[in-house]
Amino acid sequence: MRRKLAAGNWKMNGMKASLAEIEALAKAHPDPACDLLICPPATLIAAAAEICQGTGVKIGGQTCHDRLAGAHTGDISATMLKDAGASAVILGHSERREDHEESSEDVRMLAKTAQSAGLMTVVCVGESLFQRQSTNTLDIIGAQLSLSIPDSSTGENLIVAYEPIWAIGSGLTPTKDEIGEVHDFMRARLEHRFGYGVGKSVRLLYGGSVKGSNAEEIFSISNVDGALVGGASLTAEDFGPIVSALEKA
Ligand SMILES: O=C(CO)COP(=O)(O)O
């Protein structure tokens, strides 16, 4: 049985004062029936990890470099994330694929390095609106999956997040059938590539305008093992109802 996961991606949001939200989340869910992960900006990782020690909340990074150390000004390595107390890292988010021109091949290198450093990797895939309207979405997702995910992946070090780019921060969400179609397809692809056991154990998250009001419906979809939440993960008040819906799913 895959343990469900509610993950929050704070993106470039959050100051020291925002650590109170993580503390409140941990307090509100002292013994959560699902895994909880918050990925704050890098500046808050060490302090957040300290606060979360002994709680059900884990802390993650939002990206890392494909080398573990060296002359790379401004970058952060997987081992640094680990050293700061992170146990996971989001890789290949569409905002990084676009803003930093990260290709799927780049994402695979990052994931390979992060996995070798002992981090859980949350690899993001998703189609643009243009791709959904003009081509076969499953072809896009299939190509991203095969190119972005390293062979070193297992059920313990890989999570895949399906985030349709047009649903991120837009208030738009795909229909239940559309999400189900992509998640069933991703499950079949992973089983085909890694074998039934590993393919079955990789958790698949949906991301894109998840809120307290639509969480229950999204979590009822087959092969949706949780969510990667942006805006609604920034406060305990908004994230709490999503966590509660997942605990009940
Ligand atoms: O990009 C996302 C999470 O990584 C989703 O963001 P929103 O939940 O704000 O749409």
Side-chain angles (χ1 to χ4, degrees), residues 7-11 90 93-95 124 161 163-164 167-172 206-211 227-233:
N9 174 11
W10 279 17
K11 310 189 181 186
I90 298 169
H93 192 281
S94 60
E95 287 151 14
C124 303
E163 299 207 320
I168 294 174
S170 64
L172 302 171
Y206 168 77
S209 297
V210 177
K211 306 184 268 290
L228 181 55
V229 184
S233 72

Side-chain angles (χ1 to χ4, degrees), residues 171-173 206 208-219 242 245:
L172 302 171
T173 48
Y206 168 77
S209 297
V210 177
K211 306 184 268 290
S213 55
N214 61 16
E216 188 183 337
E217 187 181 18
I218 290 169
F219 296 149
I242 297 172

Side-chain angles (χ1 to χ4, degrees), residues 146-165:
S146 39
L147 294 172
S148 307
I149 292 175
D151 290 336
S152 51
S153 301
T154 66
E156 277 73 53
N157 65 17
L158 176 70
I159 290 166
V160 178
Y162 168 54
E163 299 207 320
I165 298 169

Side-chain angles (χ1 to χ4, degrees), residues 16 55 62 70 74 76 82 103 114 171 192 196 207 211 215 218 237:
K16 280 192 274 183
T55 75
Q62 298 176 12
I76 184 162
K82 193 117 209 281
S103 68
H192 183 256
Y196 187 76
K211 306 184 268 290
I218 290 169
E237 189 185 355

Side-chain angles (χ1 to χ4, degrees), residues 84-137:
S87 55
V89 62
I90 298 169
L91 296 169
H93 192 281
S94 60
E95 287 151 14
R96 291 202 58 88
R97 286 180 187 259
E98 279 173 26
D99 297 353
H100 301 267
E101 296 184 4
E102 279 179 5
S103 68
S104 289
E105 288 83 354
D106 296 332
V107 174
R108 186 176 66 227
M109 284 302 298
L110 303 183
K112 197 174 160 202
T113 306
Q115 290 175 356
S116 76
L119 290 176
M120 166 69 87
T121 52
V122 183
V123 174
C124 303
V125 296
E127 81 287 0
S128 66
L129 190 55
F130 176 76
Q131 286 170 327
R132 178 161 278 276
Q133 288 167 345
S134 61
T135 49
N136 183 346
T137 296

